[in-house]
Structures are given as structure tokens and as C-alpha cells.
Amino acid sequence: MNKIILAVVDTETAGGFKYPFIYNLAYTIEELDLDTAEVKTLAERDFVIKQIWQNRELMQTAYYERKRPLYTSMLKGRKAKAVNYGVAISTFKKDLEKAHAESVWAFNSSFDNRAIHFNNEWYKKPRDYFPYELQDIRPIITKLVDAKEYETFCRENGFITEKENINTTAESFYAFVYSNPNHIEKHLALSDAREEMALLEWCYLNNKCRAIF
């Protein structure tokens, strides 16, 4: 059996670039069979962070603050769980250890790394509280897609920046590799983590040289 265990995390924050307080942290941990492409979900959690969620003034600084009613509905329906930050990050660590995850990933991982490091310091967690450095999916998938085909797809389907450059977002890459030009990212942590995991698994299944990882 040629299997690998992967983890992908996504964070949504309030407070701006300088103070990226996490109000939504979600992750999925999956076992991917590289021979059959079969996937088994080992753990999946969606946490709303109480300290930030209950701070109305701070939540108003969130870029996706307008999505607050969606979170309220998710919490009422028990699709997400409200916990303190320490519970969320320690549960993540325990799930990673239990699954023996070989790597932990995020799309544009510098953002999520910075957010987690900032929150660990803010809540006075020791350095070894979460000893993982997230790896970045974006440079991997950028190397694996056909650059000309991707650019043509983005220009034909409007995945273009204000400066007329092609997008290199998870949304645009997902639309391309799964041939879904109408795809719109939800910008909810668990939904985004699932889509980014799908991108990561695509990378592993379509890479002919493991050295790229």
C-alpha cells in the first residue's frame, strides 16, 4: 500500500494584518492512497474561537464579517463548535499526533503560520504548544499545472486581478484542476480547508517526481 497522511488547516481572522486574531480555525486530516486515489478522512473539525467571536467590536474588523449569520447558523446546527483558542489548537495537535500526519499544509501558508504564531504568543502558549510549521500548497500546484493552459483558463473565465494579472488563489486553481469555471470559494475555514486538501491531493496524484515536495 502506498499511502500518505496529510493535514490541511485554514484560518479566518479579525484585527487586520498586525493583529490577526483567529475567529475560525478548521482542518481536515486525510489518508490518501497514491495507487488508487482513494481518500479516507481521519479527523475533521471546525472551531469558532470564543474570545474573538464574542468580541463584537473586534469581529467588525473581520474582512468577512458579513458572514457572521452563517457562523451563527453553523453553531446552532452543531456543524461548528465554539471553544477557547487553547482548546482548538491543542485539539489540532492531538489529532495530528493520533493520525501520524506526515505533513501539515495551508494555501498561502505564510498567512496561517503568522496567525497561529501570533495567537500562540497572545494567549501565552509555550513554544512547543504547536510545534508545526505549515507547508505551502500554492508553489507546489503552481509548478504542476500547465502554465499556458492555466493562463488561458483564467483569462477566459475572469480569474484576473485588478492589474490584469492571472489569479493564483485557491479558488482559481480549484476551478481549473476540477474543470469548474463557476466555482466560488466560500471563505469559511472548513470549506476552504476541504478544497485546499483536494488541491493538495491532486498535486500528489499528478506529480511524477516526489522531489517537488
Side-chain angles (χ1 to χ4, degrees), residues 195-209:
E195 291 181 3
E196 291 161 16
M197 174 64 84
L199 291 178
L200 179 61
E201 290 169 344
W202 181 91
C203 289
Y204 269 95
L205 294 170
N206 287 274
N207 181 30
K208 306 306 180 186
C209 175

Side-chain angles (χ1 to χ4, degrees), residues 4-183:
I4 188 169
I5 298 173
L6 305 168
V8 172
V9 61
D10 186 74
T11 62
E12 301 294 335
T13 65
F17 179 81
K18 189 175 181 179
Y19 301 104
F21 290 102
I22 297 173
Y23 66 84
N24 186 200
L25 185 150
Y27 56 87
T28 182
I29 304 173
E30 297 184 357
E31 179 187 79
L32 172 65
D33 190 316
L34 296 170
D35 296 323
T36 66
E38 291 184 1
V39 173
K40 179 181 179 182
T41 301
L42 304 179
E44 198 170 76
R45 301 185 193 270
D46 193 0
F47 292 124
V48 173
I49 308 304
K50 285 182 178 180
Q51 294 102 316
I52 310 306
W53 175 254
Q54 293 172 353
N55 186 327
R56 282 281 184 153
E57 184 176 353
L58 185 55
M59 277 299 299
Q60 288 176 357
T61 69
Y63 189 80
Y64 297 108
E65 194 271 339
R66 66 185 183 280
K67 295 182 181 288
R68 189 179 179 93
L70 293 176
Y71 286 101
T72 300
S73 177
M74 288 159 55
L75 289 169
K76 288 182 178 179
R78 297 185 179 181
K79 293 181 179 180
K81 186 176 182 180
V83 299
N84 288 332
Y85 175 79
V87 173
I89 202 69
S90 63
T91 302
F92 187 21
K93 180 182 176 183
K94 290 176 183 177
D95 283 342
L96 289 169
E97 292 171 346
K98 182 178 179 180
H100 302 290
E102 297 180 45
S103 52
V104 188
W105 298 77
F107 196 95
N108 187 21
S109 63
S110 61
F111 174 86
D112 300 279
N113 271 320
R114 184 174 182 278
I116 290 174
H117 291 163
F118 169 79
N119 283 266
N120 283 345
E121 291 179 3
W122 183 268
Y123 295 111
K124 295 181 171 56
K125 303 302 179 184
R127 289 187 175 227
D128 62 349
Y129 199 75
F130 188 77
Y132 299 91
E133 192 72 15
L134 309 181
Q135 299 183 61
D136 200 346
I137 299 169
R138 181 158 61 184
I140 302 297
I141 197 167
T142 299
K143 291 178 181 178
L144 291 177
V145 299
D146 184 286
K148 290 184 178 179
E149 288 183 12
Y150 180 66
E151 179 172 359
T152 298
F153 175 87
C154 287
R155 295 198 181 280
E156 288 180 348
N157 294 284
F159 292 102
I160 304 296
T161 69
E162 292 181 359
K163 294 184 178 181
E164 297 298 315
N165 296 316
I166 61 170
N167 272 328
T168 56
T169 61
E171 180 179 61
S172 57
F173 277 117
Y174 187 94
F176 175 71
V177 301
Y178 290 104
S179 303
N180 182 5
N182 297 316
H183 173 68

